Amino acid sequence: MKINGNQITPGMVVEHQGGLWAAVKTNAVKPGKGGAFNQVELKNLIDGRKLNERFRADETVERVRLEQKDFQFLYAEGTDLVFMDTSTYEQITLATDFIGERAAFLQDGMTVTVEMHEERPIGVKLPDQVILEIVEADPVVKGQTAASSYKPAKLENGLRVLVPPFIGSGERIVVDTNEVTYLRRAD
């Protein structure tokens, strides 16, 4: 579907310079002299490159709709991760590098959303929050107040996060998968 350059908004995926790009930020500019344009920061969905581009109102770009499918994480095999389509039970294998450091949050049976373009995986969205157990936490130092100090803790998946002093080893906490930060104690 063709759209005008001034209709691009953050989150849209467009075809530009022969690749797929996601709009990260947009800024409509109306200079005193000359025509209005849309300043767009684009991120390449395949290799992660960033690009700043100006689109005039009379320019058109091809908007791409990505198909989103739910997949269940089955297991890790070497440097690959195996997922199963929850509707067709077909399995796909993705490289751990494709997901990046957030692959540490994958748990057996976790449902993730895989964005596909022409049957090719483009991106993976994990749940925003996961519950993990703390396997190692530094002891509380006397005199520290809960408001100002956090201590490092190691999670069961090997990642480290900062937690409040009252959280100890063996407790389960809710972690934000996007920011890799402590949110609260798990119920």
Side-chain angles (χ1 to χ4, degrees):
M1 177 173 90
K2 292 246 185 232
I3 59 168
N4 287 343
N6 61 351
Q7 294 176 316
I8 298 172
T9 57
M12 266 187 195
V13 177
V14 295
E15 203 171 297
H16 182 63
Q17 295 179 351
L20 293 177
W21 300 81
V24 180
K25 293 179 191 166
T26 61
N27 184 22
V29 180
K30 295 179 181 167
K33 193 174 185 181
F37 60 88
N38 198 5
Q39 183 74 37
V40 182
E41 184 180 317
L42 298 167
K43 182 179 181 197
N44 191 304
L45 293 176
I46 308 299
D47 58 21
R49 285 181 297 141
K50 287 202 171 181
L51 175 72
N52 277 316
E53 199 72 47
R54 284 183 176 184
F55 293 99
R56 291 190 312 276
D58 60 348
E59 288 182 87
T60 59
V61 290
E62 186 69 34
R63 182 176 179 185
V64 178
R65 293 212 185 268
L66 297 179
E67 184 182 355
Q68 296 188 333
K69 286 185 175 180
D70 285 339
F71 280 80
Q72 186 177 27
F73 174 65
L74 298 179
Y75 57 90
E77 187 174 45
T79 60
D80 292 333
L81 303 168
V82 180
F83 296 88
M84 177 184 69
D85 188 329
T86 55
S87 58
T88 64
Y89 303 110
E90 289 179 31
Q91 292 184 5
I92 62 167
T93 303
L94 300 174
T96 306
D97 296 346
F98 183 75
I99 298 174
E101 60 190 32
R102 296 179 320 138
F105 289 114
L106 288 171
Q107 299 169 347
D108 291 346
M110 177 184 276
T111 301
V112 299
T113 303
V114 178
E115 293 179 320
M116 314 274 276
H117 179 256
E118 296 175 355
E119 298 301 316
R120 190 169 131 220
I122 297 292
V124 176
K125 286 187 180 174
L126 299 178
D128 289 335
Q129 302 170 355
V130 293
I131 297 174
L132 293 167
E133 187 175 327
I134 294 178
V135 293
E136 189 182 301
D138 291 352
V140 178
V141 177
K142 270 194 168 190
Q144 284 186 328
T145 60
S148 66
S149 60
Y150 276 64
K151 63 182 183 179
K154 187 176 180 182
L155 300 170
E156 62 185 281
N157 62 1
L159 291 176
R160 293 191 170 276
V161 294
L162 292 174
V163 297
F166 60 83
I167 300 287
S169 202
E171 289 193 56
R172 294 175 61 76
I173 62 169
V174 178
V175 180
D176 183 318
T177 59
N178 299 314
E179 301 292 322
V180 191
T181 55
Y182 162 86
L183 293 174
R184 63 183 181 280
R185 271 186 174 145
D187 300 331

